[in-house]
Structures are given as structure tokens and as C-alpha cells.
Amino acid sequence: QKEVEQNSGPLSVPEGAIASLNCTYSDRGSQSFFWYRQYSGKSPELIMFIYSNGDKEDGRFTAQLNKASQYVSLLIRDSQPSDSATYLCAVSHGGSQGNLIFGKGTKLSVKP
Amino acid sequence: DAGVIQSPRHEVTEMGQEVTLRCKPISGHDYLFWYRQTMMRGLELLIYFNNNVPIDDSGMPEDRFSAKMPNASFSTLKIQPSEPRDSAVYFCASSTQGQPQHFGDGTRLSIL
């Protein structure tokens, strides 16, 4: 059974701090890794994807991938109250067109 | 640009009734995905299509569920007969090669 594990949270950080969200996956053949943000009552929205080991930065967001440890993380710098949402980690054998396996998500709360 | 359009947004029906959920993918997208999201199980892929052909339906829970894609701009997910445990939010998503999946707003289904 291919699994993606996330700490359900809630993770609470003060405004302006760095939020660190973590994800582990069981399938060593996984090739593509995605972070989605989901506001309460809304649909998932892609915020980052990463395919290679190392870091990938996009604005305040940094995705980190370590395939040897089967570990993906998302860092959010200068956290804002508007970042409060559930963050879903998703993993795929292929690209985004394949079977995405989602974690259950980590709920992030950024306190003003 | 229009995103993925799902209907209805909310559906409340009694156990045993037939339920039909509808999805219009983004124009030009050749992949279409149906997901179900519950608190207990998170976001699960039910089935996905490529060029209107079902590629992987291993996530379809049982024979009561069926999905069709008669053309590139329309897909349905049908549950017959419906049961209370089918209550969930059902998302449709679409994508094309090299692009991330875009999700619709979802259908919140309640089976009484």
C-alpha cells in the first residue's frame, strides 16, 4: 500500500515566523512531489512541485526533497494569517497526470 | 479563463437514490480525475481518464460507482444506489501533459 504521511497538526506559528511542514512517503519509485494548499470549504490549489533532490524556492515558499530519506518538506517564510490552511502533500510515480497519492494534510494556523 | 466546473455544488438525497455528479474540464485538458475527500480517509483518487478513456479505476470503491466521459468536455460520476457512507466532497480535476492538476470547487454530497 503506497502511503503518504503527514502530521495532522494543527501547527501553530506566530505571524512572521517560518512554518515547516513535513511529509514522508513509502514508495521509493515516486518521481514527482507536490504541495497543495486547501482553505476550509475550498478546493486544493497547487503551490509548489519538485522533482529533484534539493531545494526549490518560489517567493516565500521553499520545497525540499530528500529521496534517500523519502522525505519532502515545505517551508513558508514570513508566515501570514492568510497562510492559515491545510497543506496537502501529494506524490506520484509519474508527473501530475498520473495517480497522485495524497497525505491527509497538516492544518497550519498563523496567529497575528 | 473558466476553470473546472462541477455541478451540483451541494446534493442532499436519501439512501438508495441515484446520484449523478457532473464535471466540465478546462478546455484543452486531456486528463480528467475524480477524487473523494473525507475527514477519515483524506483525498482519494477514484478514477482518471486520458483522452476520454478510463486509465485507472482501481480507486472506485465498488460496483455502485461508475464514471463516464462521453466527450472531451464532459464527465459524470454516478452512484447507484447511494448509501450514507458515500457522503463526502467529490472533486473533479483536469490537466494536460506537463501541467499541474486544476481542481473544481467540488460537490458536497450528503446521503441521509
Side-chain angles (χ1 to χ4, degrees):
Chain A
Q1 179 96 10
K2 298 173 184 175
E3 293 183 342
V4 176
E5 299 287 341
Q6 295 180 254
N7 188 322
S8 63
L11 173 66
S12 184
V13 300
E15 184 175 357
I18 295 175
S20 178
L21 303 162
N22 305 314
C23 171
T24 59
Y25 59 95
S26 63
D27 183 5
R28 283 197 170 274
S30 299
Q31 298 291 323
S32 307
F33 307 86
F34 305 85
W35 283 100
Y36 283 81
R37 177 177 61 200
Q38 187 174 26
Y39 292 112
S40 181
K42 301 296 185 182
S43 60
E45 172 193 13
L46 180 73
I47 54 172
M48 288 285 291
F49 61 90
I50 186 167
Y51 300 145
S52 304
N53 274 332
D55 295 0
K56 180 181 179 182
E57 187 174 317
D58 184 1
R60 295 187 297 112
F61 299 97
T62 299
Q64 299 175 317
L65 174 61
N66 184 326
K67 289 186 177 180
S69 300
Q70 295 175 241
Y71 178 88
V72 192
S73 65
L74 178 70
L75 301 178
I76 306 174
R77 289 181 299 282
D78 187 24
S79 296
Q80 301 298 308
S82 58
D83 295 326
S84 299
T86 296
Y87 289 79
L88 304 173
C89 173
V91 172
S92 170
H93 249 292
S96 61
Q97 290 71 41
N99 187 345
L100 282 183
I101 308 296
F102 281 84
K104 291 184 180 179
T106 298
K107 187 170 184 178
L108 172 66
S109 178
V110 181
K111 303 294 186 183
Chain B
D1 288 344
V4 176
I5 299 172
Q6 292 187 245
S7 64
R9 290 295 311 278
H10 303 274
E11 175 87 9
V12 180
T13 192
E14 293 187 346
M15 182 175 67
Q17 297 298 306
E18 178 178 291
V19 174
T20 300
L21 310 181
R22 297 172 176 80
C23 175
K24 177 179 170 56
I26 293 172
S27 178
H29 282 190
D30 49 357
Y31 287 82
L32 183 139
F33 306 82
W34 281 102
Y35 291 89
R36 177 173 67 177
Q37 188 173 38
T38 61
M39 289 291 292
M40 286 292 291
R41 300 176 65 90
L43 192 61
E44 302 173 286
L45 179 68
L46 300 177
I47 185 171
Y48 80 93
F49 296 82
N50 178 219
N51 291 322
N52 313 338
V53 176
I55 302 301
D56 184 353
D57 65 354
S58 60
M60 295 286 264
E62 49 199 272
D63 291 346
R64 298 184 298 106
F65 285 69
S66 62
K68 295 182 179 179
M69 192 165 186
N71 58 61
S73 59
F74 183 67
S75 177
T76 59
L77 178 68
K78 190 171 292 188
I79 308 172
Q80 167 64 21
S82 58
E83 297 183 4
R85 60 192 167 121
D86 302 330
S87 297
V89 181
Y90 290 80
F91 288 105
C92 176
S94 71
S95 74
T96 191
Q97 192 69 32
Q99 296 299 315
Q101 294 183 24
H102 292 266
F103 283 74
D105 289 337
T107 295
R108 186 172 297 273
L109 177 64
S110 297
I111 308 296
L112 305 177

